[in-house]
């Protein structure tokens, strides 16, 4: 192998990698510029089956890929150069690993002889993501390594993978090929049949659904008073099937903010606040059996209820094998899609409709919210309810971490129609939320709303550059209460410590930030202005920012007032 063909062989390997990834279901590739990843970048540039997304910040790029993968339900490739560029993907990779989102990281790297010797932009990249990604370390491209070995390695690494894969690609210089292109026809002879087809080189069968309960097991389980819990469920889990299951059994179904059912009229959506209420809590204490669909429950009160109850039977249904119960209760875990499990031949419970009073209690809370939130002072909960009321099944709602998702979980309105709900609640960080929402918006071009706090928005401000490329309606609602005011709800020892070390008050507004990136912007401080701005923004083809300015203690004071009322009734 002559060194003058090194760049051409690098590009050939990059071309084989990108082509095989498209055959394995990859539709989007997210790229950040860099020299060492040139063979991958050039291969992606000429790949017509991939939609390309570019961004200058690898951290935002990784989260954008996360959003694309969540919304498209397909693996997404990420191309970065060497050095700290790869490390910037770490937060997104962690989130993807915890929530089973298939990201495929392709990192350019120095060859072995340039590692740990002072060479520029060279760090030890193999294993950089620890247990948070399946690791594939490719050698430098070599004519002595058959192309079929490369393809079969990729097939095994990516097929049926629901979590991140890191493929580290070492390249020797030169990196930029010259014309004419070297002749690799003899090298490619073993994969000529593959070149004429469109299927992966090695085809792995899909993993089958595991063992499911028998009819007798179902009959035994539903004997008595039970509760269905809809926890975190992705849109592809078709969680509306759980409403039909609840009606068939005659058991109440309580919902998490991330279940896709939080606003459904057939569910008990206000479970967080109902567990504040003595009469509802006493009624729920009668339950003997529980079936939890999904995991990662947001409400601490619901988590405590599941932990403190002495269950005769505890079933959990998950799409992947994971340990998703911080209380470590003894249980039977079934591995299946939620809708598949709900479609089993369930008999009606011997204690059907045992908790019908919960429906009235749930409706009473909705009436309370209309009085105490919708018709009260302008604030964060009022804004979130106004947004949620205006969603349809053709829209997408991304809810940021910290206070926004908790307000939605506590106070979202009952609605006959609602959007697909997305969150980043694996590691529950405030980083990358804007970028992830941009990825969700780009995947299918559906109108998308992001509700995000001010600290989270500042943390990911340069992802407004990604938002510029969105052509469908993307409304970025920033709840600006001047700091991390979720700490108002936490037992910080005193107010001085809370102010000096937790809230991080900044006194900043987002108008000039939006202007810097050329985004439409409006600032509101009343519900009338917000609704007018929001409804207009949802008709605008492209991104816009609405900044909601509220007092630091508005949300926390309102939460406390409503909790006090609920406890007394």
């Amino acid at each position: 192998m002559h060194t003058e063909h090194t760049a051409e062989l690098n590009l050939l390997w990059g071309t084989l990698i990108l082509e095989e990834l498209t055959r394995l279901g990859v539709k989007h590739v997210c790229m950040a510029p860099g020299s060492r990843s040139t063979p991958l970048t050039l291969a992606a540039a000429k790949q017509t089956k991939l939609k390309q997304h570019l961004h200058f910040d690898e951290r935002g790029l990784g989260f954008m890929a996360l959003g694309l993968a969540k919304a498209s339900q397909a693996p997404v490739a990420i191309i970065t150069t060497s050095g700290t560029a790869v490390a910037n993907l770490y937060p997104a990779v962690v989130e993807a690993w915890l929530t089973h989102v298939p990201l495929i990281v392709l990192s350019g790297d120095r060859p072995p002889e340039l590692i740990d010797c002072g060479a520029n932009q060279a760090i030890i990249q193999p294993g950089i993501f620890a247990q948070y990604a399946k690791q594939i370390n490719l050698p430098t491209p070599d004519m002595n390594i058959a192309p079929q070995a490369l393809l079969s390695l990729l097939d095994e690494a990516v097929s049926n993978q629901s979590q991140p894969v890191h493929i580290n690609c070492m390249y020797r210089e030169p990196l930029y090929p010259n014309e004419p292109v070297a002749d690799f026809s003899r090298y490619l002879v073993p994969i000529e049949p593959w070149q004429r087809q469109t299927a992966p080189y090695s085809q792995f069968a899909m993993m089958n659904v595991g063992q499911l309960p028998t009819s007798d097991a179902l009959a035994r389980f539903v004997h008595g008073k039970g509760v269905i819990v809809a926890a975190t469920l992705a849109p592809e889990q078709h969680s509306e099937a759980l409403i039909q299951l609840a009606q068939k059994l005659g058991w109440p179904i309580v919902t998490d903010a991330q279940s896709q059912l939080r606003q459904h009229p057939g569910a008990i959506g206000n479970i967080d606040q109902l567990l504040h209420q003595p009469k509802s809590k006493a009624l729920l204490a009668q339950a003997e059996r529980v079936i939890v669909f999904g995991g990662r429950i947001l409400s601490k009160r619901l988590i405590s209820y599941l932990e403190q109850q002495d269950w005769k039977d505890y079933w959990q249904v998950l799409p992947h094998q994971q340990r998703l119960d911080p209380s470590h209760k003894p249980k039977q875990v079934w591995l299946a899609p939620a809708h598949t499990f709900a479609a089993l031949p369930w008999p009606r419970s011997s204690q059907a409709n045992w908790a019908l009073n919960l429906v009235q209690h749930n409706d009473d809370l909705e009436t309370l919210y209309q009085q105490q939130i919708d018709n009260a002072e302008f604030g964060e909960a009022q804004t979130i309810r106004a947004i949620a009321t205006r969603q349809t099944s053709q829209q997408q709602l991304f809810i940021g971490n910290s206070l926004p998702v908790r307000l939605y979980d506590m106070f979202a309105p009952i609605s006959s129609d609602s959007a697909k709900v997305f969150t980043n609640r694996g590691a529950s960080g405030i980083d990358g939320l804007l970028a992830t929402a941009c990825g969700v918006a780009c995947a299918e071009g559906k109108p998308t709303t992001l509700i995000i706090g001010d600290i989270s928005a500042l943390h990911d401000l340069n992802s407004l550059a990604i938002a510029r490329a969105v052509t469908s309606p993307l409304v970025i609602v920033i709840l600006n209460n001047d700091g991390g005011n979720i700490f108002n709800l936490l037992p910080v020892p005193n107010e001085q410590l809370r102010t000096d070390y937790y809230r991080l008050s900044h006194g900043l507004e987002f108008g000039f930030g939006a202007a810097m990136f050329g985004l439409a912007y409006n600032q509101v401080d009343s519900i009338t202005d917000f609704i007018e701005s929001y409804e207009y923004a949802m008709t605008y083809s492209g991104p816009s920012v609405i900044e909601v300015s509220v007092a630091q203690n508005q949300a926390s004071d309102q939460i406390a007032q409503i909790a006090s009322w609920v406890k007394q009734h």
Side-chain angles (χ1 to χ4, degrees), residues 526-539:
S526 75
I527 194 62
T528 303
D529 288 347
F530 173 77
I531 291 172
E532 181 180 351
S533 297
Y534 180 74
E535 290 181 344
Y536 175 76
M538 287 300 287
T539 68

Side-chain angles (χ1 to χ4, degrees), residues 50 66 93 145 192 218 365 418 437 549 561:
L50 288 172
L66 179 75
V93 168
I145 300 175
E192 282 182 350
L218 295 175
L365 283 185
S418 59
S549 300
Q561 289 171 353

Side-chain angles (χ1 to χ4, degrees), residues 294-503:
R296 302 192 187 281
I297 293 169
L298 183 67
S299 167
K300 289 185 177 180
R301 279 179 277 273
L302 181 53
I303 293 171
S304 295
Y305 168 69
L306 291 172
E307 179 180 7
Q308 294 167 8
Q309 196 78 352
D310 186 17
W311 303 106
K312 289 184 179 179
D313 283 300
Y314 188 135
W315 283 8
Q316 186 174 27
V317 182
L318 297 172
H320 311 282
Q321 182 170 322
Q322 287 181 283
R323 193 166 61 129
L324 292 181
D325 175 15
S327 64
H328 311 297
K329 299 286 282 190
K331 65 178 65 62
Q332 169 67 59
V333 179
W334 304 98
L335 302 180
H339 60 282
T340 299
F341 205 83
L344 293 174
W346 293 87
R348 192 159 179 79
S349 171
S350 61
Q351 293 288 334
N353 299 325
W354 69 272
L356 273 182
N357 286 342
L358 272 181
V359 176
Q360 186 59 54
H361 300 338
N362 192 67
D363 291 345
D364 290 344
L365 283 185
E366 172 59 21
T367 300
L368 170 69
Y369 300 159
Q370 292 172 8
Q371 297 169 348
Q372 300 297 323
I373 299 177
D374 299 345
N375 298 317
E377 63 177 346
F378 181 60
E380 297 177 62
Q382 189 180 68
T383 301
I384 287 173
R385 281 177 59 83
I387 293 170
T389 300
R390 287 162 175 77
Q391 300 302 297
T392 73
S393 58
Q394 300 306 308
Q395 298 174 358
Q396 302 176 130
L397 179 61
F398 193 101
I399 311 175
N401 285 328
S402 202
L403 198 51
V405 72
R406 287 175 170 83
L407 289 171
Y408 178 83
D409 190 53
M410 287 188 283
F411 303 131
I414 297 171
S415 175
S416 59
D417 202 5
S418 59
K420 291 181 179 177
V421 173
F422 295 89
T423 60
N424 279 358
R425 294 294 298 175
S428 299
I430 64 168
D431 46 352
L433 298 175
L434 176 54
T436 310
C438 290
V440 168
C442 286
E444 296 182 349
K446 291 184 177 180
T448 303
T449 301
L450 166 66
I451 308 174
I452 188 171
D454 51 317
I455 297 293
S456 299
L458 289 170
H459 208 284
D460 200 22
L461 193 63
N462 61 5
S463 289
L464 290 175
I466 303 176
R468 293 175 63 187
V470 179
T471 56
S472 55
L474 170 61
V475 186
I476 302 164
V477 180
I478 302 175
L479 304 178
N480 190 350
N481 54 29
D482 191 27
N485 289 301
I486 191 171
F487 292 103
N488 293 344
L489 305 175
L490 300 176
V492 178
N494 60 64
E495 193 61 27
Q496 193 62 49
L497 283 171
R498 196 189 316 272
T499 299
D500 292 347
Y501 293 98
Y502 289 89
R503 279 207 190 105

Side-chain angles (χ1 to χ4, degrees), residues 139-155:
T140 56
D142 191 325
M143 291 285 285
N144 292 313
I145 300 175
Q148 60 267 37
L150 175 63
L151 295 177
S152 62
L153 176 64
L154 292 170
D155 293 337

Side-chain angles (χ1 to χ4, degrees), residues 69-114:
K70 284 186 174 188
S72 67
Q73 301 169 36
V76 172
I78 307 170
I79 295 174
T80 72
T81 193
S82 61
T84 57
V86 191
N88 279 319
L89 297 177
Y90 212 136
V93 168
V94 168
E95 179 68 24
W97 181 266
L98 292 172
T99 54
H100 280 258
V101 178
L103 300 184
I104 301 169
V105 176
L106 300 168
S107 56
D109 196 3
R110 259 56 180 174
E113 65 269 18
L114 293 183

Side-chain angles (χ1 to χ4, degrees), residues 72-372:
S72 67
Q73 301 169 36
V76 172
I78 307 170
I79 295 174
T80 72
T81 193
S82 61
T84 57
V86 191
N88 279 319
L89 297 177
Y90 212 136
V93 168
V94 168
E95 179 68 24
W97 181 266
L98 292 172
T99 54
H100 280 258
V101 178
L103 300 184
I104 301 169
V105 176
L106 300 168
S107 56
D109 196 3
R110 259 56 180 174
E113 65 269 18
L114 293 183
I115 301 299
D116 202 22
C117 65
N120 183 51
Q121 201 171 314
I123 66 172
I124 297 174
Q125 293 178 193
I128 191 170
F129 300 120
Q131 74 270 28
Y132 294 110
K134 184 175 181 179
Q135 182 182 166
I136 305 296
N137 296 304
L138 296 181
T140 56
D142 191 325
M143 291 285 285
N144 292 313
I145 300 175
Q148 60 267 37
L150 175 63
L151 295 177
S152 62
L153 176 64
L154 292 170
D155 293 337
E156 192 283 325
V158 175
S159 296
N160 291 324
Q161 186 69 15
S162 65
Q163 291 173 291
V165 178
H166 176 208
I167 304 172
N168 195 52
C169 306
M170 289 185 164
Y171 294 118
R172 289 193 174 94
E173 296 185 10
L175 301 170
Y176 301 91
N178 297 314
E179 298 290 346
V181 176
D183 182 8
F184 292 110
S185 55
R186 290 184 61 187
Y187 177 70
L188 296 173
V189 166
I191 60 169
E192 282 182 350
W194 172 83
Q195 290 179 301
R196 294 192 294 267
Q197 299 170 358
T198 58
Y201 184 79
S202 303
Q203 299 178 49
F204 288 79
M206 295 291 290
M207 292 181 288
N208 293 324
V209 172
Q211 179 185 355
L212 296 174
T214 64
S215 296
D216 287 345
L218 295 175
R220 288 192 299 271
F221 181 77
V222 302
H223 183 72
K225 297 178 179 179
V227 174
I228 301 170
V229 177
T232 298
L233 295 166
E236 63 267 22
Q237 289 284 299
H238 302 293
S239 53
E240 64 274 6
L242 304 188
I243 299 293
Q244 299 171 7
L245 174 62
Q247 293 169 348
K248 188 173 185 179
L249 298 185
W251 286 359
I253 176 170
V254 303
T255 62
D256 184 272
Q258 306 160 95
S259 66
Q260 314 300 325
L261 298 173
R262 172 61 185 84
Q263 297 179 247
H264 198 288
I268 306 297
N270 296 318
I271 185 60
D272 178 83
Q273 295 296 292
L274 287 172
L275 288 169
H276 252 330
Q277 191 179 63
K279 59 185 178 183
S280 295
K281 193 171 183 179
L283 180 58
L284 284 164
Q286 298 176 29
E288 305 163 299
R289 292 173 171 82
V290 65
I291 178 169
V292 179
F293 287 87
R296 302 192 187 281
I297 293 169
L298 183 67
S299 167
K300 289 185 177 180
R301 279 179 277 273
L302 181 53
I303 293 171
S304 295
Y305 168 69
L306 291 172
E307 179 180 7
Q308 294 167 8
Q309 196 78 352
D310 186 17
W311 303 106
K312 289 184 179 179
D313 283 300
Y314 188 135
W315 283 8
Q316 186 174 27
V317 182
L318 297 172
H320 311 282
Q321 182 170 322
Q322 287 181 283
R323 193 166 61 129
L324 292 181
D325 175 15
S327 64
H328 311 297
K329 299 286 282 190
K331 65 178 65 62
Q332 169 67 59
V333 179
W334 304 98
L335 302 180
H339 60 282
T340 299
F341 205 83
L344 293 174
W346 293 87
R348 192 159 179 79
S349 171
S350 61
Q351 293 288 334
N353 299 325
W354 69 272
L356 273 182
N357 286 342
L358 272 181
V359 176
Q360 186 59 54
H361 300 338
N362 192 67
D363 291 345
D364 290 344
L365 283 185
E366 172 59 21
T367 300
L368 170 69
Y369 300 159
Q370 292 172 8
Q371 297 169 348
Q372 300 297 323

